[in-house]
Amino acid sequence: MQGMNAERLALGTILVAVLVLGLKLVAWWLTGSVALLSDALESLVNVGGAVMAWMAVHYAKRPADAGHPFGHYKAEYFSAVLEGIMIIIAALLILQQSVQALGNLSETVEWGRAGLLVNAVALVLNLLWARLLIARGGALKSPALTAGGRHLMSDVWTSVGVLLGLLLALATGWTVLDPLLALFVAVNILREGYGVVASSVNGLMDSAAPEEERDQIEELLHHAAAGALQVHGLKTRRAGVALFVECHMVVDGSMTVQASHTICDHIEEAIRSTFPEAQVTIHVEPEHKLEPSGIAPG
Ligand SMILES: [Zn+2]
Ligand SMILES: [Zn+2]
């Protein structure tokens, strides 16, 4: 398992999510607990997320072709928007179920303990897989895998909270704990959903690279553009794992195409040495295009 690549890990994540969903549904069926139902629906979100992550690995990494000359990177944002919609539906379902349960509290807690045990098995499975994803994500330098693992870890903590709460309900007979825990899970799912939708909408809107990456690129341009007069008009955008960089480079108007092209090559190499996934486009200009503010090479 230690040698698994990103695509195998993505497939494994689907299998684990389906298995965990099945176990959690059995736990709900054995108990009738709304909190365990909401825990199961949270896993449904994870199944959707896992399928989409696999599609992203599989489809987004296809090389550019005639129909999609900039690559297929944005595929993963569409899948993330769909996941966001599923998350919202799941949270609304839980809210409806918990409000219904709050208005219809039973006198006694009569869940079989078997249901709690089945849920605990699912929890351990999630925990083990989360740890594997975090370890392999670090080794493969894949932020997506690491983020997936962290997400699963946060689900594990939610499930621990639910199980402890239900044990407390069993011990004390406080039936109200069940719908209250379900509401707690619903809020957590909405929070997760908001994060997924916000980051994918940003991606679809061609948001710039994060500020620290832009600073790094400016620093690289400052060193690599030696021989040019100025670099200005830097634009960056992220599309999934891809990074697009555009800028204008002002040179002495009498410089040969050969010489200015060599500087362009230096810039591209420098940016790719730090951002291997970068696609760089440089527009060359003569000195009357100098701008008041720009990056001075040197
Ligand atoms: Zn989740
Ligand atoms: Zn310009």
Side-chain angles (χ1 to χ4, degrees):
M1 267 220 212
Q2 283 308 310
M4 278 175 130
N5 64 23
E7 187 156 358
R8 286 236 178 123
L9 281 167
L11 271 177
T13 303
I14 299 177
L15 277 176
V16 170
V18 169
L19 201 58
V20 166
L21 171 66
L23 287 169
K24 287 187 171 178
L25 283 175
V26 169
W28 166 58
W29 178 70
L30 283 171
T31 57
S33 153
V34 209
L36 289 186
L37 170 63
S38 60
D39 200 39
L41 284 173
E42 148 71 343
S43 296
L44 185 64
V45 170
N46 291 353
V47 172
V51 170
M52 285 154 189
W54 175 76
M55 277 169 36
V57 171
H58 200 73
Y59 191 76
K61 284 199 173 158
R62 275 194 204 177
D65 53 34
H68 302 94
F70 291 98
H72 300 85
Y73 307 101
K74 285 193 176 182
E76 63 184 274
Y77 295 123
F78 288 107
S79 60
V81 170
L82 278 174
E83 190 192 351
I85 292 169
M86 286 180 42
I87 291 174
I88 289 164
I89 292 173
L92 290 178
L93 263 170
I94 297 169
L95 286 176
Q96 187 237 342
Q97 290 284 319
S98 1
V99 170
Q100 212 174 6
L102 270 175
N104 191 8
L105 285 180
S106 58
E107 299 283 297
T108 50
V109 184
E110 48 195 303
W111 316 310
R113 277 154 211 253
L116 298 189
L117 196 69
V118 172
N119 191 271
V121 170
L123 186 156
V124 170
L125 207 60
N126 257 347
L127 174 72
L128 293 176
W129 193 256
R131 295 192 56 132
L132 178 74
L133 282 182
I134 292 171
R136 293 299 297 154
L140 293 168
K141 292 195 179 17
S142 163
L145 285 180
T146 312
R150 295 246 157 80
H151 168 107
L152 266 191
M153 270 318 279
S154 85
D155 291 352
V156 167
W157 290 117
T158 317
S159 305
V160 168
V162 167
L163 271 181
L164 288 178
L166 290 180
L167 284 174
L168 186 67
L170 267 179
T172 58
W174 297 337
T175 46
V176 71
L177 276 176
D178 184 33
L180 285 183
L181 286 165
L183 283 172
F184 157 74
V185 176
V187 170
N188 185 49
I189 296 176
L190 277 179
R191 194 183 53 81
E192 275 178 13
Y194 175 77
V196 169
V197 171
S199 70
S200 44
V201 166
N202 261 334
L204 286 173
M205 296 293 289
D206 284 343
S207 63
E211 199 176 333
E212 66 268 23
E213 290 186 4
R214 293 199 314 265
D215 289 346
Q216 265 179 296
I217 292 167
E218 286 189 11
E219 187 60 25
L220 290 166
L221 286 171
H222 166 72
H223 290 293
L229 300 172
Q230 183 187 58
V231 174
H232 63 242
L234 172 65
K235 287 186 200 166
T236 60
R237 75 188 163 89
R238 273 266 172 214
V241 294
L243 172 68
F244 294 89
V245 180
E246 275 178 51
C247 62
H248 297 181
M249 179 178 83
V250 183
V251 296
D252 184 328
S254 63
M255 185 181 271
T256 61
V257 171
Q258 182 84 47
S260 60
H261 178 254
T262 304
I263 305 176
C264 289
D265 275 353
H266 287 159
I267 293 177
E268 285 173 26
E269 277 165 29
I271 294 178
R272 287 229 188 91
S273 70
T274 308
F275 303 99
E277 71 286 14
Q279 301 191 22
V280 185
T281 310
I282 304 165
H283 176 70
V284 179
E285 299 174 330
E287 63 267 21
H288 75 270
K289 291 290 212 170
L290 277 169
E291 285 192 357
S293 67
I295 302 163

